[in-house]
Amino acid sequence: MEAALTIAELREFASFSPAEQRYIERALDIGLGRCDVMVEWGGRQDAEDALRGHIAAYDRLDELRAAHPDTLALVGLDSFMGVLMQLTLFDLSQGAIESFSAYRFLYERLLGAEVRPWLPAAFCAASALPQIEPERRKDLLQSLSEAAATAPGWSTQAPCFYPEWVEKEVA
């Protein structure tokens, strides 16, 4: 069962654009503390400035991991969704995440399977904000399928596949 899930996750990741794949790998390195991101992803001043911004944006991930609100209660919802939308807006505004699928793939790994019920709402809200260009806003919102937006329930199965960048770009 786990092997089939891993293969499905590998296939899904392979369906993302190269820019989405690199962004997800870098975001996971930052969000999960997998390596020294300045060494692994830096090298140029503009890249290091972008990394510092990404690190600062992800500073509240631990807070989110600990704060999953009850899906039926309102207690804690405002702070949880506020922070989740802020992080979502940051990631979407970077221009590399092109679809809800790539966003969901990243956030399931950053925050765990428990975050799944909240992802469509955070994605829609952040995509609709004025910081996102209108044409991009349209593309992002259209990438959310009706099935994902109206799911009657969500799997609690943890992700199996966590992609890692293995080939450093040559400048």
Side-chain angles (χ1 to χ4, degrees):
M1 176 73 167
E2 192 169 313
L5 181 59
T6 301
I7 291 170
E9 291 176 6
L10 280 162
R11 284 187 178 142
E12 181 178 25
F13 184 72
S15 75
F16 302 147
S17 72
E20 285 176 309
Q21 291 176 7
R22 279 190 304 280
Y23 188 85
I24 289 169
E25 290 159 344
R26 185 180 91 170
L28 291 175
D29 282 351
I30 293 167
L32 302 177
R34 300 193 300 194
C35 65
D36 183 340
V37 293
M38 297 308 257
V39 170
E40 201 64 30
W41 293 94
R44 297 183 329 265
Q45 187 61 46
D46 60 335
E48 290 179 4
D49 290 344
L51 286 169
R52 281 187 200 86
H54 206 153
I55 291 166
Y58 278 16
D59 194 40
R60 297 180 76 184
L61 281 174
D62 287 336
E63 178 184 336
L64 278 178
R65 289 179 186 121
H68 294 292
D70 181 335
T71 55
L72 300 177
L74 297 177
V75 176
L77 181 62
D78 53 348
S79 60
F80 177 80
M81 284 302 290
V83 174
L84 181 58
M85 279 180 44
Q86 238 179 341
L87 289 176
T88 299
L89 178 59
F90 172 82
D91 283 322
L92 295 180
S93 69
Q94 300 306 297
I97 300 293
E98 301 167 8
S99 67
F100 177 73
S101 295
Y103 164 78
R104 181 194 41 74
F105 187 94
L106 171 60
Y107 274 71
E108 286 176 353
R109 283 148 186 82
L110 286 174
L111 298 172
E114 301 82 20
V115 78
R116 285 185 182 121
W118 308 105
L119 295 180
F123 181 83
C124 285
S127 295
L129 289 171
Q131 290 89 336
I132 305 294
E133 295 176 12
E135 193 60 36
R136 181 161 163 66
R137 188 179 315 142
K138 177 182 166 190
D139 292 341
L140 287 169
L141 290 169
Q142 287 179 341
S143 75
L144 179 64
S145 70
E146 183 178 340
T150 61
W154 294 269
S155 169
T156 57
Q157 174 75 38
C160 298
F161 171 62
Y162 287 74
E164 290 188 54
W165 187 251
V166 293
E167 182 179 320
K168 198 165 185 165
E169 286 187 45
V170 178

